[in-house]
Amino acid sequence: DVKVTQSSRYLVKRTGEKVFLECVQDMDHENMFWYRQDPGLGLRLIYFSYDVKMKEKGDIPEGYSVSREKKERFSLILESASTNQTSMYLCASSSAGGFRWNTEAFFGQGTRLTVV
Amino acid sequence: AQTVTQSQPEMSVQEAETVTLSCTYDTSESNYYLFWYKQPPSRQMILVIRQEAYKQQNATENRFSVNFQKAAKSFSLKISDSQLGDTAMYFCAFMKLPLLRGTGNQFYFGTGTSLTVIP
């Protein structure tokens, strides 16, 4: 069973803090993603990575950075947290194979981040 | 860029009835995949059903089926015999295959439809 694990379900941080959200997958997937989910806006892609040390900006990268030093781990970093970054953050992974049976994205359980 | 539109923010259905959730997308790609994901209150996103663009036959998974109209760029989800456990947010998603293998598959999501099954 594919597992994508996010380090925290709930997180409360102060404005200006540096925040790390960690994500680990156990299926040897090449692709990993960070999304932000807000009511009425759906899932918006922050960053994705298709290989170790490779990263691509998504639709809303401002205020975020990422790190992928190992294939199984993809970290999202909020350099200086702000209240407008209060949101649900979802990590996902997928295989790069492109075959029918492995095209889907597998998601973690989400981290609800509150910045006060 | 690809866009996915779900025009129904909220829907409700009586238990045991049938409901259809709408999704349209915009793309110039010819080879892609479409998905419906379910996000229950537990927040865990689960794949409901997938459709390959090159297949004309509509995908079916038990009580879930799709109506895929490629020319119209429409991909609706039909849930038959609705159950209380179907109460969730449903997201339509589009995935295009990368130009170069190994350079990343990107997923694009709609804004979601909140479905409530009424006992």
Side-chain angles (χ1 to χ4, degrees), chain A residues 1-105:
Chain A
D1 222 16
V2 175
K3 220 169 182 177
V4 179
T5 304
Q6 294 182 228
S7 52
S8 307
R9 274 183 74 84
Y10 298 94
L11 214 49
V12 179
K13 295 292 181 181
R14 294 194 179 278
T15 302
E17 273 193 82
K18 190 169 186 176
V19 181
F20 293 85
L21 302 183
E22 307 285 346
C23 176
V24 177
Q25 50 95 2
D26 65 0
M27 277 300 290
D28 200 37
H29 282 167
E30 294 82 2
N31 302 322
M32 295 190 76
F33 309 85
W34 274 106
Y35 291 93
R36 172 175 170 160
Q37 182 180 2
D38 299 290
L41 297 177
L43 277 68
R44 294 180 292 168
L45 181 65
I46 304 172
Y47 269 96
F48 74 99
S49 168
Y50 55 86
D51 201 352
V52 175
K53 298 191 186 294
M54 304 301 290
K55 60 185 179 185
E56 294 285 341
K57 291 180 180 179
D59 300 319
I60 51 165
E62 296 79 18
Y64 304 94
S65 62
V66 289
S67 171
R68 193 166 181 200
E69 297 295 320
K70 292 185 178 181
K71 191 175 184 180
E72 67 270 19
R73 186 180 297 269
F74 192 36
S75 303
L76 179 69
I77 304 156
L78 286 67
E79 297 290 344
S80 177
S82 64
T83 54
N84 63 13
Q85 292 179 309
T86 290
S87 186
M88 172 78 79
Y89 291 87
L90 292 173
C91 175
S93 72
S94 76
S95 171
F99 298 105
R100 182 190 186 278
W101 58 85
N102 63 3
T103 50
E104 69 186 273

Side-chain angles (χ1 to χ4, degrees), chain B residues 21-34:
Chain B
L21 281 57
S22 302
C23 173
T24 58
Y25 59 95
D26 188 22
T27 184
S28 57
E29 305 285 332
S30 58
N31 191 18
Y32 52 87
Y33 289 80
L34 295 162

